[in-house]
Amino acid sequence: MAPSNPLLVPGLLPARAPTLLSTALSHLSPSSPAHAPLLEAHTLTAQLEPYAEKYSSSLIVPRGHGVEESEVRGVWEEVLRKTEETDWVGLKERGETRYQLGAVMCSGAYEAVVLQTFAAMMRAEKVLEIGVFTGTATLALALVPCVKQVIALDIEPYLSTFNEPFWTRAGVSHKIDFRVAPALETLDKLKNEGYEGFDLVFIDADKEGYREYVRKVVEEGLLKEDGVILADNTMYKGLAWAPPAPLPEDEFTVPADVLARRKFEADNTKGVHEFNEYVRNHPDLQVAMLPIRDGITVIRRRM
Ligand SMILES: C[S@@+](CC[C@H](N)C(=O)[O-])C[C@H]1O[C@@H](n2cnc3c(N)ncnc32)[C@H](O)[C@@H]1O
């Protein structure tokens, strides 16, 4: 277990407790009475998500989809691999992307099956995704047979080049309408186009925008009466209730990248926390927060 830089908050929520426990264990002799319970806590937290993923189906590929199941699974593995292997920092430095993207943004295989299960249970036909990145959730949702259309919004033009060949090879591109612009602008366009409400909305973009995305979707006719919104990362690393250890007082001793990341995380935590307060206290909404990955909140109109 490699000790981590204690000033950095690792990954998303599932990675945080095991990484902190690794750091604690690296300072502890195996003969210490605290070693065994900490090691057990480490294994418990590190293996929780792999266990949930192992005992959930792998990507749901319907029978009679038109493209061979093995081909769809091959595309799926390839997009996950390419997401991991792409040099996102280099792309930004070379000006090929406008925004700094990173593999950690991908919601991954386990969450994809969770989303597919929601869509299938609800018999969702029209789906809106706000924040697409490498389009794995988009692809997974479009594979669900009842889903007729996924309108997918992202601000980063580079993602069209990255995503569309995968969607075509998986046989779902005819279901996906990918629109590149700031999401609030596209939501206004959809409203002006007289777009009917969506059955399912998946919000997974900039955290500071979440509150306004929900407000617009709910109040401006973009959610069907019995539609459902799923908002991702609503437990954002657990930072709302378990802030990281404070930085040293002398900020000149703290590397600039650590300071920048702390600021980014503080802004995201604020955005997510304000969003959580907003939806929980909204008189017309009912919410259930689920501890899936980094937290998924299910939002419906009040019955
Ligand atoms: C966490 S990733 C999305 C992950 C994706 N939903 C998945 O399941 O793998 C967030 C995405 O939101 C996009 N984004 C950030 N700000 C945005 C905005 N204002 N409008 C639209 N997209 C935005 C980013 O470009 C990025 O691709």
Side-chain angles (χ1 to χ4, degrees), residues 52-74:
E53 183 169 345
K54 181 170 178 193
Y55 291 102
S56 300
S57 297
S58 51
L59 183 76
I60 300 166
V61 182
R63 296 199 173 97
H65 164 62
V67 177
E68 283 293 321
E69 180 176 338
S70 58
E71 170 66 9
V72 178
R73 292 198 184 283

Side-chain angles (χ1 to χ4, degrees), residues 20 31 102 133 170 174 239 243-244 248:
L20 291 170
S31 60
F133 188 42
H174 61 288
L239 290 173

Side-chain angles (χ1 to χ4, degrees), residues 9-297:
V9 177
L12 297 177
L13 187 52
R16 193 165 167 216
T19 309
L20 291 170
L21 290 163
S22 278
T23 307
L25 280 163
S26 71
H27 293 288
L28 213 60
S29 152
S31 60
S32 159
H35 194 273
L38 280 181
L39 188 59
E40 192 175 325
H42 177 273
T43 310
L44 184 66
T45 52
Q47 294 306 316
L48 190 151
E49 192 170 283
Y51 190 83
E53 183 169 345
K54 181 170 178 193
Y55 291 102
S56 300
S57 297
S58 51
L59 183 76
I60 300 166
V61 182
R63 296 199 173 97
H65 164 62
V67 177
E68 283 293 321
E69 180 176 338
S70 58
E71 170 66 9
V72 178
R73 292 198 184 283
V75 170
W76 178 250
E77 294 304 326
E78 198 179 319
V79 65
L80 289 175
R81 197 169 49 246
K82 194 172 165 194
T83 301
E84 279 299 324
E85 289 173 356
T86 295
D87 173 12
W88 297 103
V89 171
L91 283 173
K92 172 74 171 46
E93 280 170 1
R94 294 192 299 277
E96 291 180 54
T97 56
R98 283 193 203 157
Y99 302 91
Q100 185 58 67
L101 304 172
V104 71
M105 288 179 160
C106 176
S107 59
Y110 167 51
E111 191 161 335
V113 174
V114 172
L115 294 173
Q116 289 187 305
T117 303
F118 268 105
M121 280 189 317
M122 295 172 55
R123 306 245 177 277
E125 294 188 358
K126 298 204 170 199
V127 176
L128 173 69
E129 183 185 23
I130 306 179
V132 172
F133 188 42
T134 52
T136 51
T138 329
L139 168 56
L141 286 163
L143 280 169
V144 178
C146 56
V147 171
K148 295 195 170 128
Q149 187 181 35
V150 183
I151 300 205
L153 319 185
D154 206 286
I155 199 168
E156 174 56 63
Y158 175 83
L159 294 173
S160 303
T161 320
F162 189 104
N163 292 342
E164 276 161 10
F166 290 117
W167 295 337
T168 302
R169 283 169 52 204
V172 292
S173 60
H174 61 288
K175 288 191 182 181
I176 299 172
D177 178 355
F178 186 42
R179 303 197 183 191
V180 177
L184 287 177
E185 280 177 22
T186 314
L187 291 177
D188 283 338
K189 267 200 184 141
L190 291 173
K191 188 183 147 204
N192 293 337
E193 285 168 18
Y195 209 83
E196 282 171 39
F198 291 92
D199 299 294
L200 178 62
V201 178
F202 179 45
I203 301 182
D204 190 15
D206 53 315
K207 307 309 162 211
E208 289 164 83
Y210 270 35
R211 183 188 154 134
E212 185 57 10
Y213 297 145
V214 161
R215 194 201 63 73
K216 256 188 192 302
V217 165
V218 170
E219 294 178 11
E220 301 188 7
L222 291 170
L223 186 70
K224 283 199 181 147
E225 207 42 47
D226 55 356
V228 169
I229 300 173
L230 300 175
D232 201 15
N233 308 102
T234 52
M235 294 183 171
Y236 190 64
K237 302 184 177 203
L239 290 173
W241 71 90
L247 293 173
E249 298 246 316
D250 174 7
E251 67 176 51
F252 291 108
T253 63
V254 180
D257 61 327
V258 172
L259 282 177
R261 205 155 122 191
R262 283 282 180 112
K263 159 101 179 56
F264 173 74
E265 285 166 347
D267 291 345
N268 282 350
T269 306
K270 182 165 176 285
V272 165
H273 187 64
E274 283 174 3
F275 166 81
N276 290 335
E277 289 276 334
Y278 172 73
V279 291
R280 176 64 184 85
N281 295 317
H282 195 298
D284 301 326
L285 298 177
Q286 291 178 328
V287 294
M289 186 184 265
L290 308 178
I292 294 172
R293 262 188 106 237
D294 205 29
I296 298 181
T297 297

